[in-house]
Amino acid sequence: MKRNIIYILLSLLAFVSCTSEQVEPTHASATLHLEGLSRAGAASPMAIDEDLTVVVYDSDGKKYADYPAGTIPRKIILQPGTFTLHVYTQNQETWTTANNGLGEACYYGTAQVEMEHDAVTYLNMQVPMVNYAVTLTLPPLFNELFKSHSLNLTSNSRTVKIQEGQKAYFDAANGGFTYKLEATNTDNNTHSSSSINYKTVENGKLYNLTYYYGTDANSGGLDIEITDNMETEDEVAPL
């Protein structure tokens, strides 16, 4: 009888032990490296940009993790599955008022990653610029002939004035821009060009309005050429 009881107890212990091994949870995880996260045109594209914020959403659209600017780790641990990263600068609502109303570059982008169990994934992403810039270049000796100048820029209902070397920022979603150059010469006579509308614009570009002296010697006026650069403002050398 005692042997039967001992046998039953041993059998129960073996069953419990076996059951425990079967239901023991497995903590599956995957690693996502973020060293290649930067703004488009950044000088060091393989270094994490301190001005970027990263928000991670799972496949159900629920926020999984949030890393404010300056706190993005070199790598994050995720569960296996599909995730969407929203990466942006903090000036989404304020870029138009920065720099005394001239604006500043603004960046926003998303990336979807598929994470597999025990896998390591490297995210190399250049976050695109979501506005465009306009700058002014004047011909040689212009400042000796004219003591002051300004370029009036209007896009949608927003109007700003820039001088040579400055940049103003606009959103291509609002259409193109209208420009008009005004200058006062050393005799205190003010001259202004006609307002011209430049319609075809794209975000992520720098539009350089380059004035040069008119080819017609009798005109005494200025001609203009507009060039656009596919590179963002961070890549363009200061004027």
Side-chain angles (χ1 to χ4, degrees), residues 92 169 228:
Q92 301 299 308
Y169 294 82
D228 62 78

Side-chain angles (χ1 to χ4, degrees), residues 4-238:
N4 290 338
I5 294 174
I6 292 173
Y7 175 78
I8 293 173
L9 289 174
L10 290 175
S11 298
L12 287 173
L13 288 173
F15 176 76
V16 171
S17 177
C18 180
T19 304
S20 298
E21 290 178 1
Q22 291 177 350
V23 300
E24 182 179 353
T26 57
H27 299 285
S29 63
T31 303
L32 177 64
H33 283 259
L34 302 175
E35 288 93 340
L37 192 61
S38 64
R39 290 174 294 175
S44 301
M46 294 307 294
I48 296 178
D49 197 317
E50 294 295 320
D51 292 328
L52 293 175
T53 290
V54 175
V55 181
V56 183
Y57 294 90
D58 63 18
S59 58
D60 295 325
K62 296 180 180 179
K63 184 185 292 187
Y64 186 89
D66 190 348
Y67 303 99
T71 67
I72 301 176
R74 298 181 66 85
K75 63 181 179 180
I76 57 178
I77 304 302
L78 300 172
Q79 296 298 313
T82 303
F83 295 87
T84 302
L85 279 68
H86 291 244
V87 188
Y88 53 88
T89 50
Q90 289 292 315
N91 60 346
Q92 301 299 308
E93 303 296 331
T94 61
W95 65 264
T96 57
T97 59
N99 297 319
N100 295 318
L102 296 183
E104 62 184 358
C106 182
Y107 298 82
Y108 192 101
T110 61
Q112 188 176 90
V113 293
E114 297 287 342
M115 305 303 297
E116 298 181 359
H117 174 51
D118 285 341
V120 177
T121 301
Y122 292 86
L123 178 64
N124 294 316
M125 176 184 181
Q126 288 198 327
V127 184
M129 182 174 161
V130 293
N131 52 6
Y132 66 90
V134 181
T135 191
L136 170 66
T137 300
L138 295 172
L141 304 179
F142 184 90
N143 291 325
E144 295 184 14
L145 301 174
F146 296 89
K147 63 180 184 179
S148 64
H149 70 272
S150 65
L151 182 69
N152 298 325
L153 297 168
T154 300
S155 179
N156 199 9
S157 59
R158 179 167 162 253
T159 299
V160 300
K161 292 184 178 183
I162 65 171
Q163 294 183 333
E164 185 176 28
Q166 292 183 311
K167 297 172 186 175
Y169 294 82
F170 303 97
D171 187 353
N174 294 325
F177 60 90
T178 299
Y179 60 93
K180 179 180 180 180
L181 179 65
E182 295 181 347
T184 301
N185 63 18
T186 54
D187 294 327
N188 290 321
N189 296 318
T190 300
H191 302 267
S192 62
S193 64
S194 300
S195 295
I196 302 175
N197 186 22
Y198 191 79
K199 298 180 180 180
T200 305
V201 294
E202 296 179 25
N203 287 333
K205 286 189 175 184
L206 170 67
Y207 294 89
N208 188 356
L209 279 63
T210 303
Y211 282 85
Y212 55 95
Y213 298 116
T215 55
D216 184 355
N218 296 322
S219 70
L222 293 172
D223 293 334
I224 186 170
E225 179 183 16
I226 300 179
T227 57
D228 62 78
N229 195 323
M230 282 299 294
E231 299 170 336
T232 63
E233 51 88 45
D234 288 323
E235 293 176 302
V236 179

